Amino acid sequence: MRTLKGEHSMKNQRHPLNGERSLCVLGGGQLGAMLCEAAKRMGYFAICISTDETDPAARWADLHIKGDPSDPHLVRSVAENAAAITVEAESIAPAALGHDHFRGMISPGVEAQRIVQDRRLEKTFLAEHGLAVGPFRLAETLEDLTTAAEDMLQTSPKIVVKTARGGYDGRGQVWIDSPEKAASAWQALGQVPLVAEAAVDFTAEISVIVARNNRGEKCVFPVLQNEHRRGILFQTQIPAPQPLEVIRSAQELAIETADALAIVGLLTVEMFVLQDGRVWINELAARPHNSGHVTMRATSRSQFEMHVCALMDLPLSPVGLITPGVMTNLLGDLWVDGNPDFQSVLTHSMASIHLYGKSPRPGRKMGHMIHVAATLGEAKAAADRAYASLGGK
Ligand code: AMP
């Protein structure tokens, strides 16, 4: 990896980019790192713009440009030399992508990014396009929230109140079971615009990843089933152990959503499976997704490879399931007594470990492991044993 500093390095010297063959990632996290890794393996030159050269994507890229990935001038100077530019995390996007300067430069485009970054726009977009979503209300003020709570708590035992912007991994959310608690929720969430949702009585949480190119061609991945612990994704299984009708309707819903948003790149649609088998959308991400990491071992091409295909106009032929698999997240909590002993994990012949090279903090995603096996049950049992052997709870 080479690091260049800021935009003058791009302006004033012949830089080593081959425009046709380079892909630029805005942001330095692990999703960017795994995207760079896939792009390089497919013969592309991977560029990362981020503020810190120790970021995972900075280290995986061929070229790291140290600078603000939200700076339109810097991004424009790189865009002149890159075949595609994409964004790896919502946290970069609000400043950058709301910006008209970025129109036409970034995939997925600014309009789709603007919608998925704001739960108010996202839920409203879904409802207006007839895409299945649970009951919700928008709240700009404490009065709005109190009224929404009074109404919704008549039919739902509790509601979850979420910040419109910026929340992830369970952060920026408060559950309430009486309208009197609206004021404390409003305070706790920082007196910002909110979305209130009825508690969905789901039997499972699933996600569906769709790759789509600028001609509207697309391919959909096998459905993933997710288990969350303390609001953070814990484990993902592929293929989701759900009836065929649920799988079909989840994939159709994800494709319709990607079409409605005119996605170029990847769209991940998180959904709830209801008691009667219907599926409702919970949340969208216009990028690779943590639940999709299992595709690095279990499908013919990974979510990162399909993202490259969509951005670089390569065929989006169907992705095949090679084997059942389970992905387990490794959070910083496992590092409290130093590096976990991964030897026990690697004694299983069908296990792989993927670490992102970040410094540990409780709750921080440090890496993941993938277990594959002849059956989903075997993969899950092996994944659970490995997690316990690392001291995970
Ligand atoms: P989110 O950040 O919106 O994906 O929420 C994190 C997790 O909280 C979800 O994966 C669910 O487990 C749970 N959750 C969020 N919204 C709801 C809801 N409306 N009803 C029930 N559970 C929810």
Side-chain angles (χ1 to χ4, degrees):
M1 181 269 284
R2 292 183 55 198
T3 293
L4 298 178
K5 279 215 185 100
E7 63 183 310
H8 56 261
S9 58
M10 298 302 296
K11 270 191 202 146
N12 300 333
Q13 58 181 318
R14 249 178 83 86
H15 51 72
L17 312 185
N18 172 352
E20 286 293 289
R21 307 285 300 164
S22 62
L23 184 147
C24 176
V25 181
L26 303 184
Q30 64 266 17
L31 297 174
M34 290 182 269
L35 183 59
C36 287
E37 192 255 319
K40 287 168 72 168
R41 198 157 21 78
M42 292 168 75
Y44 292 97
F45 189 88
I47 308 164
C48 161
I49 305 182
S50 80
T51 51
D52 189 337
E53 62 266 34
T54 65
D55 285 338
R59 294 172 46 227
W60 258 271
D62 290 298
L63 175 67
H64 175 235
I65 297 170
K66 186 169 175 166
D68 178 2
S70 305
D71 173 357
H73 302 294
L74 175 57
V75 176
R76 184 168 294 283
S77 69
V78 177
E80 285 161 12
N81 299 287
I85 300 195
T86 191
V87 173
E88 70 99 38
E90 279 90 6
S91 54
I92 315 156
L97 299 174
H99 218 293
D100 250 9
H101 288 299
F102 289 89
R103 202 166 287 280
M105 261 202 291
I106 290 171
S107 306
V110 287
E111 190 51 25
Q113 297 280 358
R114 199 175 65 83
I115 292 168
V116 303
Q117 278 159 30
D118 187 319
R119 288 187 201 270
R120 290 169 298 182
L121 301 181
E122 185 176 281
K123 299 268 179 207
T124 308
F125 180 90
L126 294 170
E128 283 178 359
H129 285 77
L131 299 161
V133 62
F136 70 93
R137 293 274 291 267
L138 310 184
E140 303 287 326
T141 63
L142 172 58
E143 289 68 44
D144 292 347
L145 181 61
T146 308
T147 313
E150 280 164 1
D151 292 349
M152 296 177 97
L153 286 167
Q154 294 191 14
T155 47
S156 175
K158 34 181 204 163
I159 61 172
V160 54
V161 187
K162 303 179 180 177
T163 54
R165 289 176 151 273
Y168 66 99
D169 285 345
R171 279 177 254 183
Q173 303 191 2
V174 174
W175 285 87
I176 60 175
D177 56 9
S178 78
E180 290 71 45
K181 293 186 181 154
S184 58
W186 175 251
Q187 289 296 333
L189 294 171
Q191 309 182 16
V192 292
L194 303 167
V195 173
E197 298 174 21
V200 177
D201 185 17
F202 57 80
T203 57
E205 292 189 77
I206 57 174
S207 49
V208 187
I209 299 175
V210 182
R212 186 179 183 281
N213 67 17
N214 61 11
R215 289 188 304 285
E217 294 163 355
K218 57 230 151 208
C219 106
V220 60
F221 276 84
V223 176
L224 307 157
Q225 182 152 318
N226 304 319
E227 183 192 336
H228 293 82
R229 290 191 183 170
R230 294 177 285 277
I232 303 181
L233 181 64
F234 168 63
Q235 223 170 39
T236 296
Q237 304 181 39
I238 189 171
Q242 293 290 331
L244 199 56
E245 310 82 72
V246 171
I247 300 293
R248 288 228 173 96
S249 48
Q251 289 180 320
E252 274 166 26
L253 184 56
I255 290 171
E256 279 175 47
T257 310
D259 279 337
L261 285 165
I263 289 289
V264 177
L266 287 193
L267 181 74
T268 306
V269 186
E270 291 184 59
M271 304 177 195
F272 298 122
V273 181
L274 309 189
Q275 306 284 345
D276 60 7
R278 280 180 300 154
V279 286
W280 280 351
I281 297 176
N282 172 32
E283 204 177 17
L284 307 175
R287 54 167 172 75
H289 192 260
N290 191 171
S291 62
H293 295 353
V294 71
T295 64
M296 294 170 87
R297 286 287 184 273
T299 55
S300 53
R301 271 161 281 138
S302 72
Q303 62 169 345
F304 301 103
E305 290 167 304
M306 290 314 289
H307 195 25
V308 174
C309 289
L311 295 177
M312 296 302 195
D313 217 10
L314 298 170
L316 294 181
S317 48
V319 171
L321 181 75
I322 300 172
T323 170
V326 172
M327 185 285 311
T328 310
N329 265 336
L330 302 171
L331 300 186
D333 312 57
L334 297 175
W335 269 252
V336 279
D337 299 321
N339 284 334
D341 178 9
F342 288 115
Q343 297 208 20
S344 57
V345 176
L346 294 172
T347 54
H348 190 277
S349 59
M350 304 298 245
S352 60
I353 293 177
H354 309 247
L355 297 177
Y356 312 142
K358 303 196 298 195
S359 47
R361 267 202 315 266
R364 192 173 205 202
K365 289 176 181 167
M366 299 294 295
H368 63 270
M369 53 185 180
I370 299 174
H371 287 81
V372 296
T375 67
L376 193 53
E378 282 171 53
K380 169 104 175 93
D384 289 343
R385 269 197 308 275
Y387 188 65
S389 78
L390 295 174
K393 294 181 191 89

